[in-house]
Amino acid sequence: MAIFRLNHAVLYVRDVAASVAFYRDVLGFGYTETGDAIPGAAFLRAPGSTNDHDLGLFQIGSQAGPSGAGRTTVGLYHLAWEVDTLGDLEDLAGKLSQAGALVGASDHGTTKSLYGKDPDGLEFEIVWIIPAGLLTDEDRAKSGVARLDLAAEIAKYGREARSGIGISRVG
């Protein structure tokens, strides 16, 4: 028996309504009906997910200080969500930019990633993985992190190229 995927994550946030609006309006998460069961909490589901929820949000109030993780304390750096196509990655790059939430875009060789921050400054990654059948020796040989040229990746693989890893897909 082995762990095979992350089922959900739970975040402490200052303002649950602001966080719900961000994850819904920018990243496309849906609000689940269980969100009203606990005051100050919300449960969200990623588009196409079969999970009960993918993200739980618990409000702790405006007095909460910023996370010191990675600077002054240990803690989680980021969560990463996979998108199905490069077109999805491009669409989300636009939405994140428009929301002022895009903080980086990286080429990791076999994966192409966007980095964003939510209203509380919590970082997340959105990743597209090159399908195994499309990997080149150049892709495999890349090490480290380079600047992502999303237009060049779309020209190379196409907007509709499906991500290479995913356990199962809905739709």
Side-chain angles (χ1 to χ4, degrees):
M1 183 178 329
I3 294 171
F4 69 95
R5 72 177 176 147
L6 177 68
N7 180 269
H8 68 273
V10 177
L11 305 175
Y12 290 114
V13 299
R14 289 184 185 95
D15 180 341
V16 75
S19 293
V20 166
F22 176 82
Y23 285 99
R24 180 193 62 221
D25 299 344
V26 178
L27 298 182
F29 279 67
Y31 186 73
T32 70
E33 292 179 21
T34 60
D36 295 325
I38 303 170
F43 298 92
L44 306 173
R45 184 180 300 118
S49 174
T50 58
N51 289 336
D52 172 69
H53 66 281
D54 296 289
L55 188 59
L57 303 170
F58 287 84
Q59 181 170 297
I60 59 173
S62 61
Q63 80 289 349
S67 172
R71 294 179 307 281
T72 59
T73 65
V74 297
L76 182 68
Y77 170 33
H78 68 251
L79 302 171
W81 289 293
E82 184 181 347
V83 294
D84 196 29
T85 68
L86 270 174
D88 294 334
L89 195 66
E90 181 180 47
D91 294 345
L92 284 169
K95 288 181 179 182
L96 289 167
S97 290
Q98 189 173 38
L102 183 65
V103 297
S106 298
D107 181 343
H108 301 283
T110 59
T111 64
K112 313 305 172 186
S113 299
L114 303 175
Y115 294 89
K117 289 193 176 180
D118 77 0
D120 288 298
L122 301 174
E123 192 162 330
F124 56 88
E125 178 181 2
I126 300 171
V127 62
W128 179 80
I129 302 166
I130 300 173
L134 298 178
L135 279 172
T136 65
D137 290 338
E138 179 185 348
D139 296 324
R140 288 184 188 94
K142 284 183 184 175
S143 63
V145 179
R147 184 185 70 77
L148 176 62
D149 183 343
L150 191 51
E153 299 299 331
I154 288 171
K156 182 176 181 179
Y157 298 108
R159 273 186 55 85
E160 300 308 313
R162 305 275 311 256
S163 188
I165 301 286
I167 300 292
S168 64
R169 290 196 169 74
V170 176

